[in-house]
Amino acid sequence: MNVALVKNDSGPAASSAFAAAQGRLPGAGKVAEIRREAFAAFERTGLPHRRIEEWKYTDLRALVREVLPLAGAPEAAALAKAKAAIASVAIEGAAKLVLVDGVVATDLSDLAALPAGVTVRTLRAVLDEQSNEARGDLLLTKASDPMLSLNAALATDGVVVTVADGAQLSAPLHLIHVATAAKAARYSRSHVKVGQGARATLVETSVAADGAAAYQANDTAVIWVGDGAQLSHIRLMRDAADAVNISSELFTVGAKSKLSLFNMTSGGAVSRLQAFFTLAGEASELIVNGVNLLRDKQHGDMTLVVDHAVPGCTSRENFRAVLDDRAHSVFQGRIIVRQDAQQTDGKMMTRALLLSDEAEADSKPELEIFADDVSCGHGATAGALDDSLLFYLRARGLPEKQAQALLIQAFVGEAIEAIEDDGLRERVIAAAQDWLEARA
Amino acid sequence: MALLEIKNLQVRVEEREILHGLTLTIDAGKVHAIMGPNGSGKSTLSHVIAGKPGYEVTGGEILFKGEDLLAMAPDERAAKGVFLAFQYPVEIPGVATMTFLRTALNAQRKARGEEEYSTPDFLKKVREISKQLSIPQDMLKRGVNVGFSGGEKKRNEVLQMALFQPSLCILDEMDSGLDIDALRIAADGVNALRSPERSMIVITHYQRLLNYIVPDVVHVMSKGRVVKSGGKELALELEASGYAQFEDAA
Ligand SMILES: Nc1ncnc2c1ncn2[C@@H]1O[C@H](COP(=O)(O)OP(=O)(O)O)[C@@H](O)[C@H]1O
Ligand SMILES: [Mg+2]
């Protein structure tokens, strides 16, 4: 396929957005060069479309059409609205790291009250550090993808977090993305390094402030989990109903460590989380759970690529979609087991609950196995609520919607129960409950 | 006074008529047994009373406390006091038994315009009942019926009966799959609920259950109709002579 020849409708809009953004992008010299290359890489395909295998089910060219101009730097009025939005998602005791329209909002963040062992800098500051030879690396990733390239080209800010070796954080770090813009795009890029033997919880929330509409979010997180470290990463995507959110996360996991990722998407017209995992150290455990709660014409995509590069690691992927109306959910899971990665144990399961005849669920599991002593598998189901269970509940006095709600909660509970922290699990259950209660 | 009046009920399932004009009256405060061979339509009758979808009522009516039962949704019937103890209670993974019990009880109370139970009152009540039925507390933390033995599932049905205090209990083959000990525990639970305010329909293929739950009235069902009614001695008669005589009569 020669994608370069595909007429790219988003081209002019994207290149003018990139040109117009130049004065706002941190990092001169080498960093600017990396940005230009990244943008050129994006332009080779433009917005990904169905003929690009990884984007087959999420055709951004059809769903999104154009790249919007970069959102302006948030001003006082925007920050005030953001503050109100943050109040509705804040977690008691957690250190807030707030980005408003892709820019770190220092005054809304708890940068001065970080737990011991945690340091946070802004991406902007690091990219502007001329003496730092390695600063350009912050925009480079091993995985290549058009939206990831676009992010590297346009990333305005982000947080660069380090958790010191051995630090045991008792409260979560809470990365909050707030949109205040209408018809504009944000690009953030954050880095999190969890040191050897450290233990941390990173919650990431995406919300819309009052007045935010039809925005495009493109957020990237690059995360390292050191040897013997444990990271629980929980994402709650509650974007505006007409927003687009394309998030990319790239994880590198060391030896004898544990990474647990949970994502729940209930907002946004079009959303995708693409997560790339490299299990780079032996005897590590990866647990990924995802929930899509979608209605109307929402489109939600979870795409996971798990690369077992070394022997003896375990990976578990478990995805649940609840789809009402004409919603469309996509799950793509690729497990790669390298030749050396013997004793790999990798499994994925995806289940979709279709509450409407017009809802649609696609799932594409792929196993690429080059080692011989492995245990890998996948499973997928899609179907309606079980009539016999519904009748049992109704015969016990539950009205129809309440009976359905109880069964839907149980269904998504199969993924939510993976969250070990009681408080955070309850929060996620409550968020799912909000979605259920909004069902007409 | 009649609690439930079924008049000339005709029911179809998938284009096939299963109940062919069934007439039955259940008296308030009485235990009625319905006996009949497999396939005679006993479960169909119980499902239609409870409001299970998939049954087409083509004729007749059912009055419950004088009201048109067939016009009510299943949950309305439950709130009005109809309770069906299922022959095969389903397993509901992910819905903790306690959550289920509280949600159901409060939904019924809400529908009747009664106040919801407070958590301590509810817990106290459930503890009392489960103790009587020898249901361990940890069973109540599990998903509804998940991993329960046959006997435990039936006991869980009786527990719900005791909690919801319905005015009509329909027990569909409560004895199926139970050994004598399990049967005795379940039957004791049912007997404890006998009262002048509560009627029961005990559906069974075998006479054995009726040794434990002694009925006031016995009906014989065959091929979708009630073909004979009598006192409790009718059950013993059937035990001796079998259903063949009624098969011919029907
Ligand atoms: N869902 C169904 N679809 C088709 N036939 C059914 C269905 N349910 C019951 N029947 C038929 O109706 C008749 C009565 O069944 P049932 O009410 O279960 O009898 P019983 O409980 O007395 O054994 C049987 O012939 C059975 O095959
Ligand atoms: Mg039966």
Side-chain angles (χ1 to χ4, degrees):
Chain A
M1 178 180 61
N2 190 348
V3 289
L5 295 180
V6 174
K7 183 74 192 115
N8 179 358
D9 296 335
S10 65
S15 50
S16 58
F18 185 55
Q22 289 309 311
R24 296 249 344 265
L25 302 176
K30 192 170 146 192
V31 172
E33 180 58 30
I34 289 169
R35 289 187 187 275
R36 277 193 295 277
E37 280 167 20
F39 189 73
F42 168 76
E43 286 227 293
R44 283 195 282 277
T45 56
L47 280 174
H49 47 83
R50 73 173 74 82
R51 279 160 297 167
I52 295 176
E53 185 58 24
E54 292 81 3
W55 291 85
K56 182 174 159 187
Y57 299 105
T58 299
D59 183 335
L60 290 188
R61 197 168 292 181
L63 291 165
V64 173
R65 293 209 152 83
E66 58 171 355
V67 172
L68 293 174
L70 189 65
E75 290 168 2
L79 292 172
K81 283 184 181 172
K83 193 172 178 181
I86 293 164
S88 66
V89 298
I91 300 169
E92 172 106 22
K96 294 192 293 291
L97 307 172
V98 178
L99 282 92
V100 177
D101 296 331
V103 178
V104 175
T106 314
D107 291 348
L108 300 177
S109 303
D110 298 322
L111 296 174
L114 294 169
V118 177
T119 59
V120 177
R121 300 188 66 198
T122 67
L123 180 83
R124 173 168 287 271
V126 180
L127 290 181
D128 277 335
E129 215 171 39
Q130 296 299 327
S131 60
N132 181 350
E133 281 295 312
R135 67 191 192 282
D137 294 352
L138 295 183
L139 297 180
L140 299 174
T141 53
K142 211 170 75 176
S144 72
D145 172 86
M147 297 309 280
L148 203 46
S149 298
L150 188 61
N151 180 278
L154 283 155
T156 45
D157 206 349
V159 286
V160 180
V161 180
T162 53
V163 178
D165 290 353
Q168 310 287 308
L169 306 191
S170 54
L173 299 172
H174 191 186
L175 179 56
I176 306 175
H177 302 275
V178 190
T180 73
K183 290 215 159 204
R186 75 160 186 247
Y187 299 86
S188 80
R189 198 172 185 99
S190 294
H191 286 244
V192 179
K193 270 202 168 89
V194 181
Q196 290 185 15
R199 182 193 284 252
T201 298
L202 174 67
V203 180
E204 189 176 354
T205 304
S206 186
V207 282
D210 191 29
Y215 58 86
Q216 294 178 346
N218 181 328
D219 299 312
T220 294
V222 183
I223 297 174
W224 290 265
V225 182
D227 292 349
Q230 295 197 15
L231 175 66
S232 169
H233 179 32
I234 294 164
R235 305 179 86 242
L236 287 174
M237 299 293 109
R238 309 179 75 163
D239 284 290
D242 54 1
V244 175
N245 186 319
I246 307 297
S247 297
S248 305
E249 303 218 315
L250 302 102
F251 299 89
T252 306
V253 181
K256 295 196 175 85
S257 43
K258 181 175 172 179
L259 168 63
S260 168
L261 167 66
F262 175 89
N263 180 80
M264 186 159 89
T265 298
S266 56
V270 177
S271 57
R272 162 147 152 157
L273 167 62
Q274 45 181 2
F276 305 86
F277 305 86
T278 303
L279 295 169
E282 295 187 23
S284 284
E285 189 182 358
L286 169 65
I287 299 167
V288 185
N289 283 272
V291 173
N292 273 356
L293 299 172
L294 306 175
R295 61 166 59 97
D296 300 326
K297 288 171 75 177
Q298 280 180 294
H299 178 106
D301 174 338
M302 186 169 194
T303 292
L304 307 173
V305 179
V306 177
D307 187 347
H308 283 265
V310 295
C313 291
T314 302
S315 63
R316 289 285 177 280
E317 299 162 39
N318 190 26
F319 181 71
R320 297 287 179 276
V322 180
L323 307 172
D324 210 345
D325 307 319
R326 296 173 64 189
H328 185 186
S329 179
V330 176
F331 174 83
Q332 304 189 99
R334 176 140 50 109
I335 299 177
I336 304 160
V337 182
R338 306 279 168 191
Q339 202 167 354
D340 289 340
Q342 303 294 0
Q343 279 100 46
T344 286
D345 178 354
K347 309 239 159 43
M348 59 185 143
M349 181 70 203
T350 167
R351 294 179 63 197
L353 185 53
L354 306 168
L355 301 176
S356 142
D357 292 341
E358 290 173 301
E360 190 184 336
D362 287 306
S363 83
K364 190 175 76 172
E366 287 176 282
L367 300 177
E368 290 175 22
I369 300 174
F370 303 101
D372 46 28
D373 180 16
V374 302
S375 161
C376 288
H378 61 82
T381 68
L385 283 169
D386 185 324
D387 284 334
S388 65
L389 304 193
L390 271 177
F391 177 61
Y392 188 86
L393 295 175
R394 297 200 66 195
R396 296 302 180 248
L398 271 66
E400 187 174 21
K401 281 280 188 277
Q402 210 183 345
Q404 290 178 348
L406 206 56
L407 295 179
I408 294 167
Q409 273 178 302
F411 179 80
V412 297
E414 294 170 6
I416 296 174
E417 71 185 9
I419 300 172
E420 285 176 11
D421 182 273
D422 292 341
L424 293 174
R425 191 177 57 249
E426 289 304 324
R427 255 187 113 72
V428 172
I429 290 171
Q433 186 70 31
D434 285 351
W435 185 86
L436 281 171
E437 273 163 19
R439 278 191 81 210
Chain B
M1 202 206 104
L3 177 75
L4 184 76
E5 292 171 89
I6 303 173
K7 296 176 191 163
N8 194 29
L9 187 68
Q10 285 149 284
V11 172
R12 282 169 179 254
V13 178
E14 289 166 9
E15 305 296 308
R16 190 176 136 220
E17 193 171 275
I18 309 289
L19 301 182
H20 317 280
L22 181 142
T23 296
L24 177 68
T25 299
I26 305 295
D27 303 319
K30 297 284 192 246
V31 173
H32 290 239
I34 296 182
M35 303 185 69
N38 280 333
S40 56
K42 304 184 298 294
S43 289
T44 301
L45 175 62
S46 71
H47 290 152
V48 172
I49 297 172
K52 184 171 180 168
Y55 296 89
E56 190 196 351
V57 177
T58 55
E61 63 176 344
I62 306 182
L63 298 179
F64 180 67
K65 298 175 183 170
E67 288 184 84
D68 180 5
L69 191 70
L70 295 173
M72 297 177 207
D75 44 299
E76 284 177 73
R77 301 181 197 200
K80 294 249 185 220
V82 175
F83 182 93
L84 168 62
F86 287 84
Q87 180 171 0
Y88 303 109
V90 291
E91 298 188 8
I92 314 182
V95 178
T97 305
M98 271 303 202
T99 308
F100 159 71
L101 292 176
R102 182 162 39 196
T103 310
L105 180 62
N106 283 334
Q108 292 190 20
R109 294 180 68 88
K110 192 176 165 199
R112 291 193 293 263
E114 295 166 12
E115 223 171 283
E116 297 192 355
Y117 263 96
S118 72
T119 304
D121 286 353
F122 167 80
L123 290 175
K124 189 164 163 262
K125 220 169 150 63
V126 172
R127 266 196 214 109
E128 259 170 42
I129 300 167
S130 50
K131 205 169 158 208
Q132 281 161 16
L133 290 164
S134 317
I135 296 175
Q137 293 299 307
D138 74 288
M139 228 171 92
L140 301 175
K141 290 184 194 134
R142 283 192 255 158
V144 176
N145 293 323
V146 176
F148 289 20
S149 70
E152 288 170 335
K153 284 180 183 167
K154 295 299 168 81
R155 260 185 279 163
N156 191 19
E157 297 288 284
V158 179
L159 179 148
Q160 293 171 49
M161 227 157 82
L163 185 65
F164 303 148
Q165 296 281 324
S167 42
L168 176 66
C169 303
I170 306 164
L171 313 175
D172 192 3
E173 308 275 3
M174 205 190 70
D175 50 337
S176 68
L178 296 197
D179 60 32
I180 286 292
D181 290 334
L183 177 56
R184 193 172 284 134
I185 296 171
D188 285 350
V190 172
N191 285 326
L193 290 170
R194 291 178 79 147
S195 100
E197 281 82 51
R198 183 169 299 119
S199 306
M200 297 192 185
I201 301 176
V202 181
I203 294 174
T204 184
H205 180 90
Y206 303 102
Q207 195 269 337
R208 181 180 78 153
L209 176 64
L210 304 180
N211 292 334
Y212 297 91
I213 305 173
V214 180
D216 300 303
V217 187
V218 175
H219 307 277
V220 182
M221 241 183 108
S222 176
K223 296 183 178 164
R225 285 192 187 87
V226 173
V227 293
K228 186 165 183 180
S229 300
K232 59 175 177 252
E233 62 288 347
L234 182 54
L236 295 168
E237 218 175 279
L238 276 172
E239 176 83 342
S241 57
Y243 290 114
Q245 47 176 326
F246 300 110
E247 304 266 291
D248 301 334

